[in-house]
Amino acid sequence: MAAIFSTSAMLHSFIFASSRKSSTPLTTTTSRFRAKMSSSAVTVTSLESTPIVLGFGGVAVDLLATVAAFPNPDDKIRSTSLKVQGGGNAGNALTCAARLGLNARLISKVANDAQGRGILEELEADSVDVSFSVVSEEGNSPFTYVIVDNQTKTRTCIHTPGSPPMIPNDISNSTLLAALAGVKLVYFDVRLPQTALVVAHEANRRRIPILVDAERPREGLDDLLNLSDYVVCSAKLPETWTGAPSVPGALISMLLRLPKVKFVIVTLGADGCIMLERSIGAENDRAEEMDVDDLLEQLKRKADSSTADPTCISSDVKRLQAKGIGVVCGKLLFGTAEKIPQSELVDTTGAGDAFIGAVLYSICTNKPPEQMLPFAAQVAAISCRALGARAGLPCLTDPRLIPFSQ
């Protein structure tokens, strides 16, 4: 179940939250802050038999205000609604994975204030294990002001990081090893980079695959990408990171620069997504060579524009070439997004996190890419029908997911 915080109490706590000293791992569930619960989360009958995913990264409180239209400078406007709920890339993605049925663990850091306790309780209510997270007895927990424009259905985020930041000494070696025990996949959102690298190197030593959410260039991104097995990027990141003139060419460049990576996905919002999957095998020498930009245009033309549901068009294994960059053997896939009726579209906050949560689930349950991309697109589309990053996250039993879950 997702938790809804008392808006007045939460806003009050931002101004009057007390500060203490020291920083300790969370070893027991929090019980000093009781949140009201809303919506139902998936019930996992046997966590022991369920794939375990470990997430590391950011959590926050999101204060979401909807407005009729985004204000101009010096405007004074009123919100049409206000909602307070958990946020942060890692928190959102792991909540999504847990609702879909994975055994989800999360390492992050909050302060021992009302919003920090609320963050952890909301995650626990969604069956996310936060016992490896760290609670600081001083400072403040992260929070984000989110302004949702009802006219354009876009959102603007103003984030305040948590303090003090997480450092490697916050997690003991024994805690880290316990957090990684039995884990099938580790996810990073490239927050808290110094400690993230410690966790990533240990996961690498234990041969646990890593997925990195490359939302934008951040401190530690290059190091984490070099340790990763899977990468999911925002629309602008591939070209920014590689300097390539097109997204398909940038994906070729990324696989050439990152020999450990099995696939890269770039999400394009309403325009769907593109995935490049590396192929390793003797048949690669006989594969047809083709320009990757031309191939993408062919795949787009094959997409069925008459359906509103997400679909996926995949190429055969080819020697994919990008001029001035190089050649990679692999498959190119183009995934469409659901065409959400304007009357049903509420808020795109966290849609990318929902997509990643569904990708985490798909990897852990061995879904092929041709099933993974439409499934993830549908999960993201469902999340856009409610305000905030978590309110609309579906359970695996949601009827809207059944056609994509087979």
Side-chain angles (χ1 to χ4, degrees):
M1 294 180 289
I4 302 299
F5 304 127
S6 165
T7 301
S8 60
M10 185 61 67
L11 292 173
H12 186 274
S13 73
F14 280 121
I15 303 172
F16 297 101
S18 60
S19 297
R20 298 179 185 172
K21 295 182 180 179
S22 81
S23 173
T24 57
L26 181 71
T27 55
T28 59
T29 57
T30 56
S31 59
R32 289 166 290 176
F33 181 89
R34 183 58 56 193
K36 296 180 182 179
M37 307 303 172
S38 70
S39 80
S40 59
V42 64
T43 300
V44 180
T45 56
S46 176
L47 289 177
E48 290 77 11
S49 61
T50 305
I52 303 172
V53 60
L54 173 66
F56 181 97
V59 294
V61 172
D62 284 353
L63 295 99
L64 297 118
T66 60
V67 296
F70 195 81
N72 294 314
D74 262 354
D75 274 358
K76 292 183 178 180
I77 62 172
R78 292 192 177 190
S79 63
T80 57
S81 67
L82 176 66
K83 192 169 191 176
V84 183
Q85 64 179 248
N89 296 106
N92 297 338
L94 267 291
T95 297
C96 180
R99 290 196 191 179
L100 293 174
L102 292 186
N103 187 341
R105 298 173 184 168
L106 177 64
I107 301 176
S108 190
K109 184 173 184 177
V110 297
N112 186 16
D113 51 19
Q115 57 265 33
R117 295 189 293 274
I119 287 168
L120 297 179
E121 284 208 357
E122 184 177 23
L123 290 164
E124 287 179 320
D126 265 307
S127 299
V128 178
D129 180 358
V130 295
S131 62
F132 303 103
S133 289
V134 174
V135 178
S136 171
E137 292 295 332
E138 60 182 9
N140 66 276
S141 296
F143 61 95
T144 304
Y145 295 109
V146 184
I147 304 172
V148 180
D149 186 332
N150 276 336
Q151 191 174 67
T152 62
K153 305 299 183 181
T154 57
R155 85 284 187 272
T156 300
C157 301
I158 307 169
H159 180 66
T160 298
S163 176
M166 196 173 202
I167 58 174
N169 286 344
D170 282 335
I171 299 183
S172 68
N173 188 58
S174 60
T175 298
L176 176 55
L177 294 180
L180 288 167
V183 168
K184 188 166 185 178
L185 181 65
V186 183
Y187 155 81
F188 295 91
D189 67 1
V190 201
R191 306 278 185 173
L192 314 170
Q194 293 180 350
T195 316
L197 281 174
V198 173
V199 178
H201 279 295
E202 186 59 38
N204 228 24
R205 281 192 287 271
R206 297 166 70 89
R207 301 184 183 224
I208 303 172
I210 289 171
L211 183 145
V212 170
D213 171 12
E215 183 182 33
R216 61 172 61 93
R218 302 184 195 274
E219 179 189 351
L221 174 63
D222 290 8
D223 292 327
L224 284 171
L225 287 176
N226 279 303
L227 296 170
S228 64
D229 299 85
Y230 312 100
V231 181
V232 180
C233 304
S234 61
K236 296 179 181 179
L237 188 282
E239 291 166 285
T240 300
W241 193 73
T242 65
S246 70
V247 170
L251 298 184
I252 294 286
S253 180
M254 290 184 75
L255 286 194
L256 290 172
R257 295 186 188 191
L258 304 169
K260 189 172 180 284
V261 169
K262 296 178 176 66
F263 69 63
V264 180
I265 300 172
V266 55
T267 57
L268 305 171
D271 294 325
C273 64
I274 305 167
M275 173 175 171
L276 179 58
E277 181 184 34
R278 192 191 304 274
S279 175
I280 300 174
E283 72 277 7
N284 290 346
D285 293 335
R286 301 187 299 272
E288 173 191 8
E289 184 165 321
M290 189 169 185
D291 181 83
V292 70
D293 290 284
D294 292 342
L295 179 57
L296 177 60
E297 291 307 311
Q298 288 186 16
L299 297 180
K300 287 181 176 180
R301 286 195 291 270
K302 290 181 181 179
D304 185 359
S305 59
S306 65
T307 179
D309 294 334
T311 59
C312 178
I313 311 297
S314 173
S315 76
D316 297 327
V317 174
K318 296 185 182 297
R319 290 175 53 81
L320 297 169
Q321 180 259 341
K323 293 176 183 177
I325 295 173
V327 176
V328 167
C329 286
K331 293 167 62 175
L332 190 69
L333 300 95
F334 172 65
T336 64
E338 182 189 356
K339 297 174 183 176
I340 305 174
Q342 192 66 18
S343 60
E344 297 180 20
L345 180 61
V346 176
D347 180 20
T348 59
T349 300
D353 300 330
F355 185 95
I356 288 177
V359 170
L360 296 174
Y361 172 83
S362 298
I363 294 172
C364 288
T365 55
N366 303 313
K367 280 184 179 289
E370 292 82 0
Q371 292 181 17
M372 174 177 69
L373 295 185
F375 175 74
Q378 184 68 9
V379 169
I382 292 171
S383 76
C384 292
R385 289 172 161 88
L387 182 62
R390 299 191 193 169
L393 290 175
C395 301
L396 193 61
T397 53
D398 190 305
R400 295 168 292 182
L401 283 182
I402 291 174
F404 302 89
S405 304
Q406 307 302 320

